[in-house]
Amino acid sequence: MYIVTAHEMYDWDRKSIEEAGMDGKISMENAGRAVAEQVEKRVRNDQHIVVLIGAGNNGGDGFVIARTLLNRGYSVKAWQLVPDEKIKGDTLVHKQLYLGAGFELEHLTKVNVLFRELDQADVIIDAMLGIGVNGKLKPPFDQVTAYANQSQALKIAVDIPTGVPADEGITDFDGLQADYTCIIAAPKLSAFLPHTAPYYGEWEVVEIGLPAKMLKKPSVSLWNSEHARSTLPERHPFSHKGTHGKALVIGGSYLMPGSIALSARAALRSGAGLAAVATPESAWPSVSMHIPEATAVSTSEENGVLAERVEADFTGYDAVAIGMGMGRSDASRTIVQQVVEEADVPVLIDADGLYLLKQLLEVLKNRTGPAVLTPHPGEMAHLLGITIPELLARPFEWSQRFAYNHGVYIVLKGPSTIITAPDGTQVVDTSGNAGLAKGGSGDVLSGILLALMMQSQSITEALCNGCFLHGKAAELLTTDGHSKADLLATDLIEGLSRAFRTFSS
């Protein structure tokens, strides 16, 4: 499923009409009926529904929704919030069809009259404004939106909640807080941004017949179960431990042995054939206790952290992960630089490694092998030299720019994780839940990604599937046996077997 900007959605609509010959009135009818069907799944016919209708395509959808629900025996009041002269084109056609069917239409004259109607409503359907709004709302939409937000009624938005921008970069806006949004044709970027996504509530996409070939392929798509099932690699019956990759995990310290143990164990649980751990000798007893299947790499240490270089032949490994729990000393920075410069295999950099990488960005550009960075927003903002709010306002743009400029893959972690390839293509993974908001979850993810990068799939598919399995393990565990509060990173590792059984072929 593609994720579109407002411009891409407008272009798809235009091409559907001008090049494919699809009548705009038919698209509007399809959209309104599709939304009405979703409303029927959530609303009883004894509940009172108020449909708020503006101008433009969103308003036209509102007329179709009101007519369809009235025809099916629902209690509906339709309110037109703009003057008659603003209702034009296809929207006017559907207004006339609504009136021609014998149904009553309320016109907004005084907002207090509408407010009394909203007080009596069980359901409010928002068909006021669509994807073209950026910034603060103007009267009467600002007043109506603010009043609707205070209502206890179920609020259903058509395509996008009124006032919410479709694209990233806009943080100062008024928006209707929907309980459910019925998105038309394709989700918009704002459904995945931390400052706009909450306005959508629960959401799903309805298909309205727009020709798929008329949509110029967007650079952003959504990963789902079908993608995972079709791309997770199968194990050949004659494979052996070397077939599935030998991983090297570098990091940990005397005071933080757990992070590297979590990553190594997650890598083996996710399919790595072999795993070696380069960690301070003083930390190894704690690490080996939790991951007896891993082997140790001889290292030097000073004050409980790695010192100098790691004496490892990187050609003997299929992928390397570095950074988890290693600290931020000068010696640690030297090791990160060593790995970036010398390891031609895929390298994943996380945690402390990302902090140290800020001083090595020019070195990073000169890498020939793939590099994968797995930052949370704070780490990504540090790499970019911007504030966290600046990053979160435009996470797609910032990730794409950094990935392209430095030739790396970015896994920007969050409720909607954005995976960006060096060529700028982006995939969003929305799996997981609040149970992942716990120390160690990121270390587990690094191990999963490390293992999957060594299997028979592209780097992008490996990263998408790794994020997906990580999130689905949390979802499966919290539906049976765990709550979101008690879920631990170690639980995630043990839950991976269930996620693999569920989604692999």
Side-chain angles (χ1 to χ4, degrees):
M1 179 185 295
Y2 290 120
I3 300 168
V4 299
T5 63
H7 174 76
E8 288 167 338
M9 191 68 229
Y10 283 131
D11 189 58
W12 192 11
D13 276 332
R14 181 187 60 78
K15 287 183 177 179
S16 298
I17 295 170
E18 296 178 3
E19 298 180 24
M22 188 169 187
D23 193 319
K25 296 184 287 295
I26 294 176
S27 297
M28 196 170 284
E29 180 76 17
N30 291 347
R33 285 184 172 274
V35 174
E37 288 175 4
Q38 297 305 315
V39 171
E40 288 186 281
K41 295 177 182 178
R42 292 165 173 78
V43 178
R44 303 187 310 271
N45 60 10
D46 63 338
Q47 292 181 292
H48 180 51
I49 303 170
V50 174
V51 183
L52 302 174
I53 299 173
N57 289 347
N58 211 242
D61 296 340
F63 282 117
V64 177
I65 294 164
R67 171 167 53 84
T68 302
L69 292 175
L70 283 164
N71 279 334
R72 295 176 181 177
Y74 284 82
S75 170
V76 179
K77 278 285 187 71
W79 280 77
Q80 179 182 308
L81 305 188
V82 296
D84 285 334
E85 60 268 21
K86 289 188 177 291
I87 305 295
K88 301 175 182 179
D90 296 335
T91 302
L92 178 58
V93 171
H94 282 288
K95 174 183 175 179
Q96 292 168 340
L97 285 172
Y98 175 87
L99 295 173
F103 299 128
E104 294 184 2
L105 178 62
E106 304 292 336
H107 289 77
L108 182 64
T109 54
K110 295 182 179 180
V111 291
N112 289 340
V113 179
L114 173 58
F115 290 170
R116 286 195 294 270
E117 185 78 53
L118 294 178
D119 288 338
Q120 299 171 20
D122 299 302
V123 181
I124 299 171
I125 296 178
D126 166 26
M128 292 184 283
L129 298 172
I131 61 176
V133 178
N134 294 313
K136 294 289 189 178
L137 291 172
K138 298 178 181 178
F141 300 107
D142 56 347
Q143 298 166 287
V144 175
T145 296
Y147 199 86
N149 281 342
Q150 299 174 20
S151 171
Q152 297 301 306
L154 174 69
K155 292 178 279 294
I156 298 176
V158 179
D159 194 33
I160 188 169
T162 284
V164 175
D167 299 332
E168 60 181 346
I170 299 167
T171 57
D172 188 18
F173 62 90
D174 304 314
L176 183 126
Q177 181 64 65
D179 298 298
Y180 167 76
T181 300
C182 192
I183 297 174
I184 307 298
K188 317 314 182 272
L189 281 182
S190 60
F192 307 97
L193 302 175
H195 66 288
T196 49
Y199 286 86
Y200 281 79
E202 177 191 353
W203 60 264
E204 63 185 303
V205 178
V206 294
E207 196 272 329
I208 64 167
L210 297 180
K213 289 187 176 181
M214 294 295 103
L215 174 62
K216 182 182 178 182
K217 185 178 178 180
S219 62
V220 187
S221 59
L222 184 64
W223 202 253
N224 57 30
S225 301
E226 288 71 28
H227 293 122
R229 285 193 175 93
S230 64
T231 57
L232 276 170
E234 296 184 22
R235 295 238 157 179
H236 193 278
F238 296 101
S239 63
H240 53 83
K241 60 186 179 183
T243 307
H244 303 295
K246 184 176 182 180
L248 174 62
V249 189
I250 304 172
S253 61
Y254 177 72
L255 295 178
M256 293 188 67
S259 57
I260 204 74
L262 287 169
S263 295
R265 186 168 180 80
L268 286 169
R269 183 67 78 184
S270 301
L274 296 160
V277 177
T279 196
E281 186 176 341
S282 59
W284 178 245
S286 297
V287 174
S288 62
M289 181 188 306
H290 297 287
I291 183 70
E293 298 89 346
T295 59
V297 174
S298 179
T299 60
S300 300
E301 71 172 278
E302 184 176 339
N303 299 322
V305 299
L306 290 170
E308 302 176 355
R309 293 167 53 85
V310 173
E311 296 306 321
D313 179 5
F314 296 121
T315 62
Y317 300 95
D318 298 295
V320 179
I322 185 170
M324 297 72 72
M326 74 184 300
R328 301 177 179 181
S329 66
D330 289 340
S332 296
R333 184 174 65 253
T334 299
I335 295 170
V336 172
Q337 182 170 349
Q338 175 196 358
V339 171
V340 170
E341 289 180 334
E342 298 179 11
D344 288 333
V345 296
V347 170
L348 182 148
I349 306 171
D350 189 26
D352 291 330
L354 292 170
Y355 179 86
L356 298 166
L357 192 66
K358 176 67 182 293
Q359 302 172 51
L360 303 170
L361 293 181
E362 288 303 315
V363 176
L364 184 65
K365 285 183 179 181
N366 296 326
R367 265 189 62 79
T368 55
V372 176
L373 281 54
T374 58
H376 57 58
E379 291 164 339
M380 189 71 199
H382 174 73
L383 282 170
L384 289 161
I386 61 175
T387 66
I388 295 175
E390 285 177 305
L391 169 70
L392 293 179
R394 297 179 180 272
F396 289 93
E397 179 182 329
W398 284 114
S399 297
Q400 189 177 61
R401 185 184 304 177
F402 190 95
Y404 182 81
N405 288 342
H406 294 86
V408 299
Y409 295 85
I410 299 286
V411 178
L412 180 57
K413 296 178 285 194
S416 294
T417 294
I418 303 172
I419 298 110
T420 308
D423 65 1
T425 57
Q426 296 180 301
V427 184
V428 176
D429 170 57
T430 59
S431 65
N433 56 38
L436 294 173
K438 191 74 66 75
S441 292
D443 300 318
V444 172
L445 176 61
S446 291
I448 299 170
L449 299 178
L450 178 65
L452 291 181
M453 286 193 298
M454 299 189 297
Q455 311 309 312
S456 56
Q457 57 192 326
S458 71
I459 296 290
T460 296
E461 287 176 345
L463 299 178
C464 292
N465 282 328
C467 292
F468 180 82
L469 290 167
H470 181 252
K472 286 300 177 181
E475 291 179 17
L476 292 167
L477 288 166
T478 53
T479 58
D480 181 17
H482 287 276
S483 70
K484 295 174 185 176
D486 72 66
L487 189 68
L488 297 177
T490 47
D491 299 324
L492 284 174
I493 296 174
E494 301 313 310
L496 282 170
S497 58
R498 186 173 172 187
F500 272 99
R501 287 198 309 271
T502 302
F503 295 101
S504 67
S505 56

